[in-house]
Structures are given as C-alpha cells and as structure tokens.
Amino acid sequence: QVQLVESGGGLVQAGGSLRLSCAASGRTSSGFAMGWFRQAPGKEREFVAAINWNGCLTDYADSAKGRFTISRDNAKNSVYLQMNSLKPEDSVVYYCGASAIRIVPVRGKYDYWGQGTQVTVHY
C-alpha cells in the first residue's frame, strides 16, 4: 500500500506560480512512476504530467507544456509540480497518483491516489 498526500495548493493571481508537493508513505516512491492529474467538478480527471521512477523521463499534457514542470526526490519520497504562468482555467483540484509501471511515465493505470489539493487562480 502507498499513501499519497498532496499539499501546496491555494489561491494565486493569474500569471503567478504555485508548487504542489506529493509525499508518499508506506512504500518507497522509487518503485512507482508518479503523475499529476486534475479534475473540475462534473468532469473526468485529466492527465497533467508524469515522471518515471528515476526522474529521467517526463510527459506533459499539451496544456502543461512550457508552464508546468514535474520533478521528484526519491530520497524524500516526494514528487512536485511547479506551475508557472497560471491561468484561471487552471483552477481545479489536483491529484497525485502512483503507478506500478515504473520504467516510463504513464498517462493511465495508476494504482494509488491522493486526496487532492485545490488550486484557485484569479484575475
């Protein structure tokens, strides 16, 4: 079992930045590829970014390319999402996920999820 806890969400002005963190416990995070997803009310959860087990490979949704950066620190069992140039349409709940498909970053087949952290971007 892996427990994931997100943090770092909050209220930010458009054009600003936030850094989301996801702390893993229960099993070492290096055994998993990790990803960030987001979900608006009434909509399906959508992929944002993913990173493989050692941080050498990453994948981004088109909406995140050039603005968001995913990274991980396996010594701290943590994964991060640096979000820059935030827009009001980025205002949703962000979730961290862990996938046992560890070799490459993946957009599906996640085994564990955190509880989410709210990001709100205002003008």
Side-chain angles (χ1 to χ4, degrees), residues 10-117:
L11 181 65
V12 64
Q13 193 169 16
S17 298
L18 281 175
R19 187 192 193 210
L20 304 183
S21 298
C22 174
S25 61
R27 288 176 58 184
T28 177
S29 64
S30 62
F32 299 88
M34 303 293 291
W36 286 98
F37 290 72
R38 65 187 187 182
Q39 188 171 21
K43 294 189 177 182
E44 292 188 358
R45 190 169 298 184
E46 67 173 9
F47 169 76
V48 176
I51 189 166
N52 77 325
W53 74 279
N54 63 3
C56 289
L57 298 174
T58 57
D59 184 26
Y60 294 93
D62 288 343
S63 59
K65 288 178 182 177
R67 298 191 301 130
F68 296 178
T69 302
I70 189 170
S71 62
R72 67 188 299 161
D73 185 341
N74 286 340
K76 296 182 178 180
N77 273 342
S78 294
V79 64
Y80 309 98
L81 186 68
Q82 177 67 43
M83 304 189 296
N84 299 327
S85 302
L86 283 163
K87 306 173 183 180
E89 51 263 44
D90 295 318
S91 299
V92 291
V93 178
Y94 286 75
Y95 295 89
C96 170
S99 171
I101 303 174
R102 62 193 289 266
I103 302 300
V104 294
V106 293
R107 299 191 176 198
K109 298 187 184 300
Y110 279 75
D111 303 286
Y112 303 98
W113 295 97
Q115 84 290 348
T117 185

